[in-house]
Amino acid sequence: MRTETPQTIRLEDYRPSDHLIDRVELDIRLDPHATRVEAVLAVRPNPEGVPGAPLALDGDDLALVAVELDGQRLAPDAYAASPSGLILHAPPQRPFVLRVETRLDPSANTKLMGLYRSGGVYCTQCEADGFRRITYFLDRPDVLSVYTTRIEAERAEAPVLLGNGNPVEAGDVPGTGRHFAVWHDPHPKPAYLFALVGGNLGGVRTTFTTMEGREVAVGVHVEPGKEERAAYALDAVVRSMRWDEEVFGRAYDLDVFNVVAVSDFNMGAMENKGLNIFNDKYVLASPETATDADYAHIEAIIAHEYFHNWSGNRVTCRDWFQLCLKEGLTVFRDQEFSSDMRSRAVHRIGEVRTLRARQFTEDAGPLAHPVRPRQYAEINNFYTATVYEKGAEIVRMLKTLLGEADFGAGMERYFADNDGRAATVEDFLAAFAAVSGRDLAAFAQWYEHPGTPKLAVEGRHDAASARYTLSFRQDLPNGPALPMPIALGLVGASGALDGAVCERVRDGVFVLEGEADAITFANVPEPPVPSLLRGFSAPVRLEMAMDDADRLTLLRHDPDPFNRWHAAQSVATRLLVDASATADARMEAGPYAEALAAFLDAEALSDPAFAALVLSLPGEGDIANEIARNVDPDAIHRARTGLRRALGSALGTRLAGLRDSLADAPGAPFSPDAASAGRRALRNAALDLIAAADPEAGAALAERQLTEAATMTDRLAALGILSLIPGAARERAVDGFGERYAAEPLVLDKWFAIQAAIPEEATLARIARLKGHPAFAMTNPNRVRALIGAFAMGNPTQFARADGAGFALLADTVRALDGTNPQIAAKLLTAFGSWRMLEPGRAAAARGVLEAIRSIPNLSRDVADIVGRTLAG
Ligand code: B3K
Ligand code: ZN
């Protein structure tokens, strides 16, 4: 269905539904092309709605077969049906039962919204508005219903039939070769949480007994033959269940919990009640096929979807403007989980890297929007880094401001007060205000304003009085002053200045309430180096004049590991920004390299994961964000290559030594745990710098690693390093890897992505070739993201080529996908989000391509919305 004029939906226009649907009975007879859906809906007027209002059910691409009210056929003039809606002009003003029959073609559903088929498996995706592609419904999150679902299918085609809730009945349909299963979900839920799965699936199972004594049958279902690869996901489910009980006091509330992996999926996964459906990329893992990063993602996403059972499902959202209510909170919860499972400091650095690379970029460009947007044309375009990641940062700040005890009590209160309800951001904050007695009105503004606040800080030391004053000023264009928790401390030439005191700093945190403020520390005999925003305590851009020597003091002595990492990053950033402004690629790493050398000697072996992060340079996108205007991606790439080379030369011997000391013992069993992953990360960071300094030697080492590696992490790192060194070794490596994994689509995705990111002109031709690879398919979102997404998001010099050919490649893909899968097309198009930062020639090329997309007739609402805002902002 195409919509010509994107209609804007506004938060201020929210009003409750005129009708409610208390119960839904579905009978779904699966068929590849003619699935029949019968929905029996117990409808009643909403006392909060308009009396006598028509009943306007949503639809999308639906074909109505029959409709009855209380068992009677409706007169033709009593209703109006179209693919996009079913309206009863004058429904009874009392409870009534509506029976609606629709027919679907799941095999023709290329949008992957509603009921579709993935590799022969029937599955569904309903968030945000896919349920209306299954049956006519009040498809809005504040209409909560109790669902009973009967699923019927050919037994041979779909031996496994899964639904929401608990299984109640199953059996054969005699004489037909078909069978059925009935599922009942006692928890009222909005339609976006509906799901079913039917197919030939293998499974791994376990049981978990909740703290309330409920025995839960847990299953992870995957393509038959891949069961072994589901073990890690199953274990992650159990760990998530236990953790949510221990940390948030939340117990699971059904007798079964199922996870299903499918290979065609628009995003990462979906938290349907009792039946989480996953992109198989975030379920399947084996030592042969998955990297350490894959294991970490699986753990995090399994946890995320599971945690939604409370933050999202039991307490859901009143409307889609409140999306951050479930997403920001659930990201916060999964981040806490991963931090507890792994190294908290290392995890925090990873979170902030993502936040700055994705959310800060979004917030600085034309697609910037508040964490709680006030309007949208297409809600599926608002599953953004801002809603998710900045949404999580707001929850984290709330915890910092209130302290552990009040935060915990507020969470309890929120769940208790809103259980079974569709809530708002106001409800969330009200729970914390109630338990803490605090006024959170100013804090609430964090949800309302786009843009990243700037925090400018100046320090002044007075030797005579041994006092040190820090002055703060915040600035958010067109926004108010936001309460900012600033975790901080002072560091001296030989360590933390623990004697320094300031009564306005409590538990290491100063809260900047207004636009500007100043605080003074006493007992500061020497000029200190301030360590600000420890743990990145607020999502802001810190501006403070500080020389490299002071930053390197922080790297040495700051007790806060996040700020130690950040200090090293900021020195690197300074060097890279300066070098990007010159045409000279030779760089001196100087004191930076010396500081890294000392750091590695002292600490690399005791915390390799942290050391790997300290050693890694800011990405090209980070540097571009720092430069912010007139950006030349080639200059940035040259500078970054130059610094890698300089560091590699300065640290070469040490790095080689580290690689030897960190090598796994031959034959040692593989473990994806954080400590082992950290050792691999540091070895590979070392190899990267060695290869930058001496490509020939590096290529030889990488080629050997590729052959001998026992893990996908090491193999892929070697391939990545080789991919940057043109020559025969690279092509041998690429071909060999492609052949070795020809039957492993998820591994080929990594192979596509590495090749798409090669910063060379020939990459466009390589991508054109790879589009013809037998494993590539435009219909599979993972393949498209791996080849085209990795190019657009991860290859700045070639995507933003001066001749515009990189932009054109993306535009061709967007055009090709717009008719079949507009959500993926729109997502790819967000790669243009930074086009205005580029130097004028490249910016003009980007604008030309965007305008051409905008003028395509019958553009989907998804793409029309993104292209419109990208050009307007
Ligand atoms: N809630 C889903 C995302 C749905 C995206 C719809 N376009 C996954 C998640 O955040 O858990
Ligand atoms: Zn989520």
Side-chain angles (χ1 to χ4, degrees):
M1 270 280 300
R2 303 238 156 179
T3 310
E4 272 74 42
T5 35
Q7 199 196 334
T8 302
I9 301 171
R10 290 175 209 283
L11 172 57
E12 69 204 35
D13 294 339
Y14 172 83
R15 56 181 196 81
S17 172
D18 294 323
H19 294 88
L20 297 174
I21 303 175
D22 294 323
R23 285 184 318 283
V24 179
E25 279 164 31
L26 292 166
D27 185 2
I28 301 181
R29 299 190 197 166
L30 294 171
D31 179 273
H33 293 289
T35 290
R36 206 218 53 166
V37 177
E38 182 185 291
V40 177
L41 312 177
V43 186
R44 68 181 158 99
N46 184 357
E48 290 173 31
V50 178
L55 174 66
L57 301 178
D58 305 298
D60 179 7
D61 249 342
L62 285 178
L64 179 68
V65 177
V67 53
E68 277 176 10
L69 194 152
D70 287 339
Q72 302 290 311
R73 276 258 167 101
L74 276 177
D77 61 353
Y79 69 96
S82 76
S84 59
L86 172 62
I87 299 177
L88 269 60
H89 304 304
Q93 296 194 43
R94 53 161 174 83
F96 60 95
V97 173
L98 194 69
R99 192 183 78 82
V100 183
E101 204 181 313
T102 48
R103 201 182 305 279
L104 318 173
D105 182 352
S107 307
N109 183 352
T110 59
K111 290 186 179 174
L112 314 185
M113 283 291 279
L115 176 68
Y116 65 95
R117 297 223 300 164
S118 171
V121 175
Y122 294 92
C123 62
T124 54
Q125 170 57 33
C126 292
E127 187 177 1
D129 47 11
F131 191 69
R132 65 185 66 181
R133 292 166 62 77
I134 297 174
T135 188
Y136 294 102
F137 204 72
L138 294 173
D139 193 1
R140 44 187 290 167
D142 59 349
V143 171
L144 309 187
S145 323
V146 170
Y147 285 70
T148 306
T149 309
R150 180 182 180 280
I151 313 163
E152 189 195 296
E154 289 282 342
R155 190 184 273 283
E157 187 192 22
V160 176
L161 299 175
L162 303 172
N164 304 108
N166 296 319
V168 289
E169 202 191 334
D172 282 318
V173 184
T176 61
R178 294 177 70 84
H179 71 144
F180 72 94
V182 179
W183 291 77
H184 176 72
D185 180 4
H187 301 283
K189 65 168 176 288
Y192 82 84
L193 291 173
F194 170 82
L196 71 79
V197 168
N200 182 16
L201 295 162
V204 291
R205 292 181 176 76
T206 188
T207 53
F208 177 80
T209 307
T210 70
M211 61 183 185
E212 294 165 348
R214 179 193 293 271
E215 182 149 318
V216 184
V218 182
V220 178
H221 308 262
V222 299
E223 194 184 317
K226 298 211 165 138
E227 290 84 352
E228 273 181 17
R229 299 187 190 185
Y232 186 77
L234 184 69
D235 181 57
V237 172
V238 170
R239 286 185 285 126
S240 304
M241 288 180 149
R242 193 173 302 125
W243 185 91
D244 212 13
E245 292 187 346
E246 288 170 2
V247 178
F248 279 88
R250 300 295 109 201
Y252 189 61
D253 53 6
L254 291 167
D255 304 333
V256 300
F257 181 73
N258 284 312
V259 170
V260 180
V262 299
S263 47
D264 301 87
F265 207 66
N266 278 349
M267 62 271 170
M270 178 66 211
E271 70 263 25
N272 318 295
K273 184 78 188 189
L275 179 53
N276 289 185
I277 299 182
F278 270 65
N279 185 327
D280 59 1
K281 173 178 164 66
Y282 296 117
V283 172
L284 299 174
S286 69
E288 173 67 14
T289 58
T291 61
D292 293 324
D294 290 328
Y295 280 96
H297 282 136
I298 290 168
E299 178 179 79
I301 297 179
I302 286 277
H304 179 98
E305 307 310 331
Y306 173 72
F307 296 156
H308 267 313
N309 190 56
W310 274 94
S311 47
N313 302 3
R314 286 289 284 260
V315 179
T316 194
C317 299
R318 186 192 73 174
D319 52 68
W320 292 120
F321 297 101
Q322 321 295 328
L323 186 56
C324 64
L325 182 65
K326 73 178 179 80
E327 295 306 347
L329 176 55
T330 305
V331 170
F332 170 78
R333 277 153 52 69
D334 84 54
Q335 291 176 342
E336 286 297 291
F337 169 76
S338 293
S339 302
D340 283 350
M341 296 293 130
R342 292 159 183 267
S343 151
R344 185 163 280 270
V346 166
H347 202 264
R348 183 63 185 148
I349 292 167
E351 287 159 23
V352 176
R353 274 176 135 184
T354 315
L355 179 79
R356 293 164 60 117
R358 297 184 47 223
Q359 199 281 323
F360 280 25
T361 306
E362 184 167 84
D363 237 351
L367 298 176
H369 55 274
V371 172
R372 178 167 64 181
R374 267 184 294 276
Q375 58 182 63
Y376 61 78
E378 172 50 64
I379 187 55
N380 289 308
N381 287 339
F382 281 83
Y383 288 74
T384 59
T386 297
V387 169
Y388 277 64
E389 262 76 39
K390 189 173 174 183
E393 292 302 316
I394 296 180
V395 178
R396 184 178 306 283
M397 282 192 288
L398 190 62
K399 182 173 180 189
T400 309
L401 286 171
L402 299 182
E404 192 111 17
D406 277 358
F407 179 77
M411 284 302 310
E412 286 278 341
R413 180 71 170 256
Y414 169 66
F415 287 126
D417 286 357
N418 296 287
D419 190 9
R421 288 188 57 226
T424 61
V425 167
E426 282 75 11
D427 295 323
F428 181 66
L429 292 178
F432 295 93
V435 298
S436 66
R438 298 236 209 157
D439 178 357
L440 295 174
F443 183 77
Q445 294 301 307
W446 274 105
Y447 288 96
E448 309 294 347
H449 298 276
T452 306
K454 246 190 260 163
L455 175 63
V457 188
E458 278 174 31
R460 199 165 35 80
H461 183 246
D462 180 45
S465 62
R467 289 158 86 84
Y468 181 70
T469 300
L470 281 169
S471 319
F472 300 88
R473 172 171 297 278
Q474 61 165 301
D475 179 31
L476 175 63
N478 308 315
L482 300 168
M484 261 172 216
I486 304 170
L488 47 69
L490 302 182
V491 176
S494 49
L497 295 179
D498 290 328
V501 286
C502 170
E503 85 245 354
R504 298 190 60 200
V505 177
R506 297 224 175 92
D507 296 329
V509 178
F510 161 66
V511 181
L512 176 62
E513 304 272 3
E515 201 179 307
D517 205 344
I519 58 174
T520 298
F521 288 82
N523 199 19
V524 190
E526 56 175 307
V529 183
S531 166
L532 302 166
L533 277 185
R534 283 178 166 168
F536 210 60
S537 59
V540 301
R541 278 183 204 277
L542 179 62
E543 289 184 357
M544 178 164 201
M546 199 184 273
D547 56 32
D548 286 357
D550 283 350
R551 294 186 200 278
L552 294 174
T553 299
L554 292 181
L555 170 62
R556 261 175 98 90
H557 293 306
D558 198 329
D560 181 61
F562 176 85
N563 268 2
R564 298 186 67 199
W565 168 78
H566 190 256
Q569 288 288 292
S570 54
V571 174
T573 304
R574 209 262 314 143
L575 289 166
L576 290 163
V577 169
D578 288 355
S580 302
T582 70
D584 190 354
R586 279 168 309 166
M587 285 189 73
E588 287 294 326
Y592 174 53
E594 285 158 27
L596 288 184
F599 164 78
L600 290 176
D601 290 347
E603 298 181 58
L605 295 176
S606 58
D607 191 350
F610 179 66
L613 291 171
V614 171
L615 213 51
S616 60
L617 297 180
E620 291 175 27
D622 298 320
I623 305 161
N625 284 346
E626 205 59 38
I627 297 172
R629 24 195 302 275
N630 209 11
V631 165
D632 173 358
D634 290 329
I636 292 175
H637 180 73
R638 251 194 326 268
R640 194 170 181 280
T641 306
L643 186 54
R644 283 171 59 235
R645 189 182 305 133
L647 277 184
S649 317
L651 303 173
T653 329
R654 262 185 196 82
L655 297 172
L658 275 177
R659 285 193 78 234
D660 293 340
S661 338
L662 292 163
D664 285 333
F670 168 78
S671 165
D673 71 280
S676 318
R679 284 194 296 277
R680 288 186 279 270
L682 183 53
R683 289 192 84 222
N684 289 320
L687 181 56
D688 176 67
L689 294 179
I690 292 171
D694 183 348
E696 211 173 307
L701 286 172
E703 227 183 341
R704 209 172 86 204
Q705 175 164 323
L706 189 60
T707 326
E708 293 174 358
T711 67
M712 179 49 84
T713 300
D714 286 342
R715 223 170 283 135
L716 200 68
L719 185 68
I721 287 162
L722 277 166
S723 78
L724 301 177
I725 308 170
R730 167 169 87 190
E731 301 314 320
R732 258 196 320 274
V734 166
D735 292 347
F737 192 98
E739 280 157 30
R740 175 163 178 180
Y741 295 106
E744 296 285 357
L746 294 174
V747 182
L748 287 181
D749 282 348
K750 304 174 194 302
W751 180 74
F752 285 137
I754 280 184
Q755 295 182 75
I758 295 176
E760 292 167 19
E761 284 208 349
T763 294
L764 284 192
R766 196 185 277 268
I767 292 176
R769 254 194 336 270
L770 288 171
K771 277 168 93 172
H773 188 279
F776 185 80
M778 282 289 261
T779 50
N780 180 288
N782 285 353
R783 301 302 94 78
V784 173
R785 279 186 286 252
L787 188 60
I788 312 297
F791 170 71
M793 312 280 182
N795 192 344
T797 64
Q798 299 313 302
F799 174 55
R801 272 161 67 132
D803 64 4
F807 297 142
L809 185 149
L810 185 67
D812 288 346
T813 313
V814 169
R815 199 174 284 122
L817 280 174
D818 188 50
T820 51
N821 192 333
Q823 258 181 53
I824 298 296
K827 193 75 181 175
L828 286 176
L829 194 56
T830 62
F832 280 100
S834 299
W835 73 275
R836 280 176 198 279
M837 273 189 203
L838 295 168
E839 54 81 19
R842 286 174 170 85
R847 180 197 289 277
V849 166
L850 286 164
E851 282 172 348
I853 293 175
R854 185 169 59 182
S855 65
I856 298 171
N858 290 325
L859 217 47
S860 69
R861 185 168 54 209
D862 310 61
V863 168
D865 171 44
I866 297 288
V867 74
R869 285 191 284 139
T870 304
L871 279 165

